[in-house]
Amino acid sequence: MTLRGRLTAAFLVVVLGPVLLGAFFVASTVTAVDRSRSTERLAVAASTVRTSVDALCQQLRAAADAVALTGDPAVAAGQLVGRGLAAAVLVTDVNGRVTYASPGAPSTPWRDCSEPATASSGPVRALAARVDRRDPAGALLGTVAAAHLIDPAFVARLAAVTGVAVTLLDGGASAARVTHTTESREVRDAVLAAAGATSGERVTESTKGRYVRRIGPSAGQPLPLVLSVPSERPPGLHVTLAGVVVLAGLLAVFTAWRLARVTTRPLVELAGAVDRVAHGDLTARVPVRSRDELGRLAAAFNRMTRETGSYVAALTSSRDQLRGHLAVLGDTLASTHDLQRILRVILHSAIAATGARAGAVLLVEPGGVLVAQCSEGLDGRWPAGDPDGSQGLRVPVGVGVVGAVAATGEPQRGRVEPTEAPTGEPRCRTYVAVPFATPGGASTAGGASTPGGATTTVAGGERSPDEAGAAAAALGVLALYDRVGADEFDDDDLVNLRTFAGHAAVAVENVRVHEEAQRLSLTDPLTGLWNYRYLRESIRREVERASRFGRMLSVLALDLDRFKDVNDTYGHAAGDTVLAEFARRVRGEIREVDLAFRQGGEEFVLLLPETDARGAAIVAERLGAAVRETPIAVEAYAGPIVVTVSVGIAVYPDHGSTGREVLEAADDALYAAKAAGRDTYRVAEARPDVPTREIPVPACAVSPPDGLPRAGRPVQAPREPGGHARSESTAGVPESNRSGPAHAGPDPADEPAATAADAARAGPDVTRPGSGGGASSGPHPPRQSRGR
């Protein structure tokens, strides 16, 4: 289908749809209103008929009582008939013989007011009320019946009183024959057919546009009647509506065709120009015929074609920029592991979805305490003792609302009474809190459970202590306070918050899994030190850092002496124990900012930032003493295993300008230490013609103002004919005339990230209290603990 055809069809649907719906609505509304009014009229008429028949029966019963109480029934009966209180009176004795009957009385049997008629009772000739006739002693003398004639006049009076057409049927249950009726001959058959097709007193509609209802026979109303009222719908309503719909359709078709033709002509021209441009003709132009949206579109297309040529060259030059943007995009996607950012997004989304005024996301920390990771709108909601909330939101698991939610794993919502004492949570009027847990249902941190083992009432009912403990799988709680524009949070809010809590649980679990996977990918599983993969990244980063701030970096290559003999003699299990113990001792001899790596097998590498050759030599001596002086005990063997370590030292930039060069220099120094008899260390030989930058310093040999070693000599170095200064680092401990602390931290003015852990290392017992220290895990992954 062409665009013009689709526009025409869409216009017809948009126009004819409301027209059809409007016509249907008008027809259905008129029909419903008409039926409702007619039903109401019939209900009122039925009530009036029952009231009239009941009044007539009461009158006949009073007349029969008057005759039964007189001594001369004939005289009393004649007076009642003469006054019009009854059409006839019939007196019988105890044997049922008629002792008196009014002249001209209708034929019997009469329809008794107190007994409903049956289907076989025949036509109703008269309506009667019967009473017993007794003597003064109370003995039964017979019965007295007072009757009223049921004739067309009586039916006409009922129709006049009720305001509807009334039909008296010939029989109690059948509508086939009629005794008397006020219906016209044109609608009588349709009314009787509709009355015969319905049961009970339901209202139905006849084919002649009348609403029909049957009443009786029943207790208190023994007459089988049919009531009907004419419909009030305008005649020819459906025909009129159909004509309106057809006329509107014809007008819509013509209008749609005209509008589609006018609208699509510029689009057809634009499509042709687009095809030409697609085939490389950038000279294609579209005529601008108007100033509307299509005219602006044509003008924009013409302007775009003029600029496309220049854009082609620009696109070629921006290809490299696009690659850079893709790299930035990758970094942005990697930032989705930022837990704080994810939790903030979840909290803001939950507040916007529920209309809450404030909220917080709390995570369970070790020790069974819920700590707010992010919050919003909690200012001014704290108890009087902490008006600014300076202590933050910290709630023990099992205490208060959020504590109970974390302990039971079930959501809660409700209202806080003003008389309730605060529990460390922010003040609020209403609240809702839902837990979030790992998809696998890990247990709650800290092993929290419901205090006292009592059952906890939550949104879902009561749980036993065992069930509450089984449900305690919450990683945290999402809590919202004081919904805007409503008294309390409802079940829909609870369902929405369950969804946000599920996202929060997945986010927390993903971050934890990511951190664990990152840690496992960068650490050695046996020793807990960083692996060779992280060594390559760290030495590159540390060399760049030392170069940027003009500092030194020492690299130590360590190798356990004759470790193969340990494996051959004691087995590989004992060798693993030796490696793990050696790694532990290494961590105990270095600073927090130093990095320790297992390069492979029994080979290890240490990176010592802000350290020159002398400081590195001190560290090497400590490591050798720590390994040599305390043999390593191994289970299942009689005596401890004595091992030693050889160390090679290289310093950036004295022994290399890149991390790889420095590492290779340290490895060469390690081989020199091995060749020197093992259990010792060697410093790599200085590179010839190492270019350095000249730094003006005082003529005397003094330390720099910040007391930190520099990547260069502290005094002006003698120059060789080539104009380059040379480093004087040699094997063994460097000369004592090197100024500055041997192992110092960064200058705060040069590097804001420096910490107190970078203090100078002057000797074994000066700057290193006890045996402290511990290997750092670098700035990006989590730090290694000393006991690993």
Side-chain angles (χ1 to χ4, degrees), residues 325-402:
H325 294 329
L326 291 177
V328 174
L329 177 59
D331 295 339
T332 304
L333 294 179
S335 66
T336 55
H337 291 97
D338 183 359
L339 181 60
Q340 294 295 328
R341 177 182 177 186
I342 295 173
L343 294 182
R344 283 196 301 270
V345 171
I346 291 174
L347 176 61
H348 293 167
S349 301
I351 290 176
T354 59
R357 297 181 183 272
V361 178
L362 303 93
L363 296 183
V364 180
E365 292 190 351
V369 178
L370 283 163
V371 179
Q373 301 298 318
C374 62
S375 61
E376 184 173 335
L378 296 185
D379 295 340
R381 294 178 175 269
W382 300 96
D386 190 14
D388 298 329
S390 58
Q391 302 299 325
L393 183 55
R394 298 176 62 89
V395 181
V397 174
V399 177
V401 175
V402 296

Side-chain angles (χ1 to χ4, degrees), residues 264-591:
T264 57
R265 181 179 178 183
L267 295 177
V268 171
E269 295 174 347
L270 180 61
V274 168
D275 290 337
R276 293 172 58 188
V277 171
H279 289 85
D281 183 9
L282 297 180
T283 62
R285 296 294 182 269
V286 179
V288 179
R289 302 181 181 278
S290 62
R291 297 181 179 272
D292 57 4
E293 290 79 0
L294 292 177
R296 293 199 300 270
L297 178 61
F301 176 81
N302 295 336
R303 185 173 61 255
M304 287 167 34
T305 55
R306 287 192 299 268
E307 298 175 356
T308 300
S310 59
Y311 289 163
V312 170
L315 289 174
T316 303
S317 63
S318 64
R319 180 172 52 193
D320 295 336
Q321 297 180 5
L322 177 59
R323 292 174 180 173
H325 294 329
L326 291 177
V328 174
L329 177 59
D331 295 339
T332 304
L333 294 179
S335 66
T336 55
H337 291 97
D338 183 359
L339 181 60
Q340 294 295 328
R341 177 182 177 186
I342 295 173
L343 294 182
R344 283 196 301 270
V345 171
I346 291 174
L347 176 61
H348 293 167
S349 301
I351 290 176
T354 59
R357 297 181 183 272
V361 178
L362 303 93
L363 296 183
V364 180
E365 292 190 351
V369 178
L370 283 163
V371 179
Q373 301 298 318
C374 62
S375 61
E376 184 173 335
L378 296 185
D379 295 340
R381 294 178 175 269
W382 300 96
D386 190 14
D388 298 329
S390 58
Q391 302 299 325
L393 183 55
R394 298 176 62 89
V395 181
V397 174
V399 177
V401 175
V402 296
V405 171
T408 61
E410 291 293 336
Q412 291 192 21
R413 63 180 177 88
R415 177 181 295 275
V416 177
E417 298 298 332
T419 57
E420 295 183 6
T423 60
E425 300 180 42
R427 293 192 302 265
C428 64
R429 295 188 302 275
T430 59
Y431 66 87
V432 59
V434 295
F436 52 89
T438 58
S443 61
T444 304
S449 60
T450 306
T455 57
T456 303
T457 302
V458 293
E462 291 190 352
R463 283 180 173 267
S464 65
D466 294 338
E467 292 173 338
L475 290 173
V477 176
L478 173 58
L480 300 181
Y481 304 101
D482 293 341
R483 182 180 179 184
V484 177
D487 291 335
E488 293 188 21
F489 295 93
D490 52 25
D491 292 335
D492 292 336
D493 298 325
L494 203 60
V495 172
N496 294 334
L497 286 187
R498 283 181 181 272
T499 302
F500 291 114
H503 294 325
V506 173
V508 173
E509 185 66 14
N510 286 344
V511 169
R512 291 182 177 179
V513 170
H514 173 74
E515 291 177 351
E516 181 65 14
Q518 186 180 30
R519 185 189 67 81
L520 293 176
S521 67
L522 298 178
T523 56
D524 176 61
L526 175 62
T527 62
L529 301 180
W530 298 121
N531 58 19
Y532 180 70
R533 174 185 176 186
Y534 191 54
L535 169 61
R536 293 182 300 176
E537 177 184 348
S538 298
I539 195 170
R540 176 189 56 79
R541 184 177 65 249
E542 292 298 333
V543 166
E544 290 178 355
R545 179 173 175 269
S547 175
R548 182 169 60 254
F549 293 102
R551 306 294 170 80
M552 288 184 174
L553 170 68
S554 292
V555 179
L556 276 64
L558 292 73
D559 186 270
L560 291 177
D561 298 328
R562 297 184 177 87
F563 183 74
K564 183 177 184 300
D565 296 340
V566 175
N567 283 334
D568 295 341
T569 303
Y570 302 99
H572 288 280
D576 291 345
T577 303
V578 170
L579 291 175
E581 176 61 19
F582 176 72
R584 187 189 68 79
R585 296 183 186 183
V586 168
R587 285 195 296 266
E589 296 297 330
I590 61 177
R591 302 170 303 175

Side-chain angles (χ1 to χ4, degrees), residues 231-266:
S231 173
E232 297 180 357
R233 285 196 304 268
L237 174 63
H238 294 87
V239 175
T240 302
L241 291 177
V244 170
V245 170
V246 171
L247 181 61
L250 295 176
L251 182 60
V253 168
F254 174 77
T255 305
W257 175 82
R258 182 65 180 174
L259 289 177
R261 183 175 181 275
V262 173
T263 304
T264 57
R265 181 179 178 183

